[in-house]
Amino acid sequence: MSPKPLDYESLNENVKKVAYAVRGELYLRASELQKEGKKIIFTNVGNPHALGQKPLTFPRQVVALCQAPFLLDDPNVGLLFPADAIARAKHYLSMTSGGLGAYSDSRGLPGIRKEVAAFIERRDGYPSDPELIFLTDGASKGVMQILNTIIRNEKDGILVPVPQYPLYSATISLYGGSLVPYYLEEEANWGLDFHNIRQSVAAARSKGITVRAMVIINPGNPTGQCLSEANIRELLKFCFQENLVLLADEVYQQNIYQDERPFISARKILFDMGPPISKEVQIVSFHTVSKGYWGECGQRGGYFEMTNLPPQTVDEIYKVASVSLSPNVPGQIFLGLMVNPPKPGDISYLKFVVESKAVLESLRRRAHIMTDGFNSCRNVVCNFTEGAMYSFPQICLPPKAIEDAKKAGKAPDVFYCLKLLEATGISTVPGSGFGQKEGVFHLRTTILPAEEEMPAIMASFKKFNDEFMEQYEDYRGYSRM
């Protein structure tokens, strides 16, 4: 009897190729241990509220009123909600055709797209067109939509930074394209090496692959670096020379923990450079409410903005977006509130500023605690987390540990991370899930656990690591860059 359409052997081969380490073997084992009653610290995914970050008050007040508009008719509404939250809820409800339960335009509510455009103009100093902004269910859906538009077949290549966020490798596999890796330089604070990038492009072309796009993640995930203006300028020149569209993943732009390298959008630097580059290089940039001091991962609000794309292409992207009818409307409202928060003089302004500053200042302190903690450990080195939400330490594994990992049928960093999980309850992601240079091993952990718990977590990690190294060390050298 022939297999049924949804039997495993009949499935789309591209689906089978998809791998997503952030929710992979380590996460599944951690979930099992949690069911058995073990306390698990899930540092595997950038999920701030799951690790105790409190929601900001003002956006939740506004969305609560939008979700339950009958509260606006209650004579006591002003006792429970500030006047500016009431006014903003009415503002957003007036944009909809039937409240939050009604579909919006497939690109998102026009009024919120105008608020996003105004935010981009304030940030970059250059006008933004709301018609070139699409609201999406988180940044991930936008990335998938654009990659689906770019990838035509297996001969189309996408340059992706390694280590990379596995959304990119998974989506490229799903759509049948080819991932073209370019390695970030760990010794240069995870910066870009254009000699290496050009070699990657040449190697891909020698295999008949047409490299069509380049991804940057700035600030970096999993690496936590902030790219310098000079690096981005050189990147844009490279895209101009090689005729590549730049996919600028800028979802961590609020997460900056040092003052030397502030976030500057690729779009701003492009326009600063002037013609011909500013008129020619195509950019699609992504942002979300899931990160920053908002951390509203579950609300699934995001957008992408297109620069220098022709109108016919925008029409095709709109046509495909229309298949899903509309992005979720509550997520759109969260996005509107993120790009248009309370202003000086508003009743809620002071509370909003106090709450958001407290989150960012705590994250800055946690970045230091975690990086310093890793660097105090035996055979561990870690670049400072300049931005985003992650530390990506290199673990210098003794040869005996690598041998034991092979005997167990595990990648060496998976072996280490599983032992860490079993001993401490700390759930991380092995570096092999993001890609890394041959013979070099890392793990990724978020900096999101509660600040007061961070010293104990790092002490627990240090104790495990010291015991692991003591067990496996044989002084014959280590896997090290």
Side-chain angles (χ1 to χ4, degrees), residues 197-214:
I197 295 170
R198 286 187 174 89
Q199 284 183 323
S200 293
V201 172
R205 286 176 179 158
S206 73
K207 297 173 191 165
I209 291 169
T210 303
V211 182
R212 285 170 57 81
M214 181 171 185

Side-chain angles (χ1 to χ4, degrees), residues 140-316:
S140 300
K141 280 290 170 69
V143 168
M144 293 176 79
Q145 198 170 333
I146 295 301
L147 284 173
N148 194 23
T149 306
I150 293 170
I151 294 168
R152 300 166 300 184
N153 54 52
E154 73 280 357
K155 290 296 184 184
D156 280 345
I158 311 293
L159 269 169
V160 176
V162 175
Q164 57 103 23
Y165 177 49
L167 163 69
Y168 293 95
S169 53
T171 305
I172 292 164
S173 291
L174 188 62
Y175 295 144
S178 294
L179 186 146
V180 180
Y182 67 92
Y183 286 92
L184 301 173
E185 294 303 310
E186 187 166 9
E187 301 93 329
N189 204 33
W190 299 112
L192 304 178
D193 176 348
F194 285 92
H195 175 68
N196 162 277
I197 295 170
R198 286 187 174 89
Q199 284 183 323
S200 293
V201 172
R205 286 176 179 158
S206 73
K207 297 173 191 165
I209 291 169
T210 303
V211 182
R212 285 170 57 81
M214 181 171 185
V215 174
I216 58 162
I217 308 173
N218 182 42
N221 175 11
T223 45
Q225 89 287 5
C226 295
L227 292 178
S228 67
E229 183 173 350
N231 242 184
I232 298 172
R233 194 175 284 268
E234 197 171 353
L235 174 75
L236 290 163
K237 285 181 190 167
F238 176 77
C239 289
F240 178 65
Q241 291 159 358
E242 300 293 339
N243 192 28
L244 305 176
V245 57
L246 179 64
L247 306 184
D249 181 334
E250 298 174 333
V251 301
Y252 296 101
Q253 60 190 262
Q254 295 171 329
N255 295 98
I256 306 295
Y257 312 126
Q258 39 70 46
D259 302 319
E260 293 74 39
R261 268 192 294 280
F263 169 78
I264 309 172
S265 75
R267 174 186 183 273
K268 173 178 169 47
I269 294 171
L270 178 76
F271 288 140
D272 284 349
M273 291 171 79
I277 283 181
S278 63
K279 299 281 189 191
E280 293 293 330
V281 174
Q282 297 178 333
I283 299 180
V284 184
S285 52
F286 304 90
H287 197 11
T288 179
V289 301
S290 299
K291 309 304 176 186
Y293 45 84
W294 288 67
E296 293 280 6
C297 298
Q299 308 295 351
R300 311 312 299 139
Y303 75 78
F304 61 84
E305 185 204 24
M306 299 165 281
T307 301
N308 292 330
L309 270 64
Q312 277 182 302
T313 300
V314 176
D315 289 345
E316 291 300 310

